[in-house]
C-alpha cells in the first residue's frame, strides 16, 4: 500500500474505525487496514477491499467472511448500518435485524470500553447542546438590555429637556 493510498483510505473513513467508530485521537495511533474479504480467502490487496479499522475490530473480525449469508459482517460504507444496528441510550448497540445482531456480536461492539466511549460521547453532545442553549439565552438577554438602555436614554433626554 502506497502512502497516498493509505491517506486516501484514512480520509475516506474520517480517521475513524469503520466498524466501531473510534478515532485515531482516541487510540493515539494510526489504525489498521482490514481486508474486508480476507486475503486468506482470496481477498485482493486492493483499495476496493480495504476497510480502515482499529486493531480490536480487525482482530475480532479475523478471517470471517460469509457475504451471502444472513450471518455476515456489515460493510461500513456499502451497507446501510442504520437499518441493521441502533445505539441505545445506555451506549450499547442493538441489532435490528439478524445480520445486525450477528455483526455486533461478532465484532464485540459492546465491549465495555466502547460502551463507555459512546456514553461519554453522548454526554459531550448533551453538554454542547446545553452550551448552545445558554449562549442563545445570553444573546436574548443582551438584546433586552440593549433595548432597555435605549428606552432609559430616551427617558433621560426627555427629563433633561424639561429641566432646561
Ligand atoms: Zn474498531
Amino acid at each position: 500500500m502506497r502512502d497516498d493510498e493509505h491517506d486516501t483510505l484514512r480520509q475516506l473513513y474520517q480517521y475513524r474505525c469503520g466498524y466501531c467508530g473510534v478515532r485515531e485521537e482516541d487510540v493515539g495511533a494510526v489504525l489498521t487496514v482490514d481486508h474486508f474479504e480476507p486475503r486468506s480467502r482470496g481477498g485482493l490487496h486492493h483499495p476496493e477491499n480495504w476497510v480502515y479499522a482499529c486493531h480490536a475490530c480487525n482482530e475480532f473480525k479475523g478471517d470471517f467472511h460469509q457475504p451471502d449469508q444472513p450471518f455476515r459482517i456489515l460493510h461500513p460504507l456499502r451497507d446501510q448500518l442504520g437499518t441493521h444496528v441502533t445505539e441505545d441510550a445506555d451506549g450499547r448497540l442493538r441489532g435490528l435485524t439478524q445480520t445486525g445482531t450477528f455483526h455486533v456480536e461478532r465484532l464485540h461492539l459492546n465491549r465495555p470500553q466502547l460502551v463507555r466511549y459512546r456514553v461519554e460521547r453522548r454526554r459531550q453532545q448533551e453538554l454542547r447542546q446545553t452550551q448552545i442553549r445558554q449562549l442563545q439565552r445570553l444573546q436574548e438577554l443582551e438584546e433586552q438590555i440593549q433595548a432597555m438602555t435605549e428606552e432609559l436614554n430616551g427617558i433621560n433626554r426627555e427629563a433633561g429637556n424639561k429641566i432646561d
Side-chain angles (χ1 to χ4, degrees):
M1 176 182 286
R2 299 193 314 263
D3 279 355
D4 62 319
E5 289 175 329
H6 193 234
D7 287 344
T8 303
L9 183 71
R10 290 168 67 216
Q11 261 176 31
L12 184 64
Y13 280 87
Q14 299 176 321
Y15 309 93
R16 292 169 169 272
C17 172
Y19 298 115
C20 73
V22 298
R23 300 170 305 176
E24 290 179 351
E25 293 94 309
D26 301 315
V27 178
V30 168
L31 307 182
T32 66
V33 178
D34 171 50
H35 291 87
F36 191 69
E37 184 179 358
R39 299 198 78 186
S40 60
R41 293 176 173 252
L44 298 176
H45 187 56
H46 185 269
E48 287 277 294
N49 194 35
W50 293 336
V51 171
Y52 200 48
C54 75
H55 186 75
C57 287
N58 205 341
E59 285 281 305
F60 285 127
K61 181 168 168 282
D63 67 353
F64 185 87
H65 195 58
Q66 290 187 349
D68 304 321
Q69 304 288 321
F71 298 111
R72 64 185 176 89
I73 304 274
L74 296 163
H75 191 286
L77 302 181
R78 287 176 215 149
D79 278 297
Q80 290 288 335
L81 287 178
T83 313
H84 296 282
V85 177
T86 188
E87 183 181 319
D88 286 332
D90 63 1
R92 291 178 63 82
L93 294 187
R94 181 164 47 84
L96 299 171
T97 59
Q98 257 191 344
T99 305
T101 303
F102 177 81
H103 174 84
V104 169
E105 283 172 9
R106 176 72 206 197
L107 294 177
H108 293 67
L109 291 180
N110 283 323
R111 38 193 198 263
Q113 297 85 349
L114 270 183
V115 173
R116 282 203 296 274
Y117 173 81
R118 292 187 203 114
V119 167
E120 176 61 22
R121 198 176 54 193
R122 274 173 179 265
R123 211 178 62 87
Q124 295 286 349
Q125 279 166 357
E126 281 164 15
L127 282 175
R128 265 199 298 279
Q129 289 305 317
T130 305
Q131 198 177 30
I132 288 168
R133 279 197 302 275
Q134 285 173 339
L135 284 171
Q136 282 167 347
R137 180 75 188 124
L138 189 66
Q139 170 116 36
E140 283 165 17
L141 288 172
E142 278 172 353
E143 280 165 13
Q144 281 173 21
I145 289 170
Q146 178 75 28
M148 287 165 87
T149 305
E150 279 166 19
E151 203 181 317
L152 196 61
N153 286 342
I155 292 169
N156 282 342
R157 267 198 304 277
E158 248 177 63
N161 288 343
K162 275 174 194 159
I163 291 165
D164 291 342

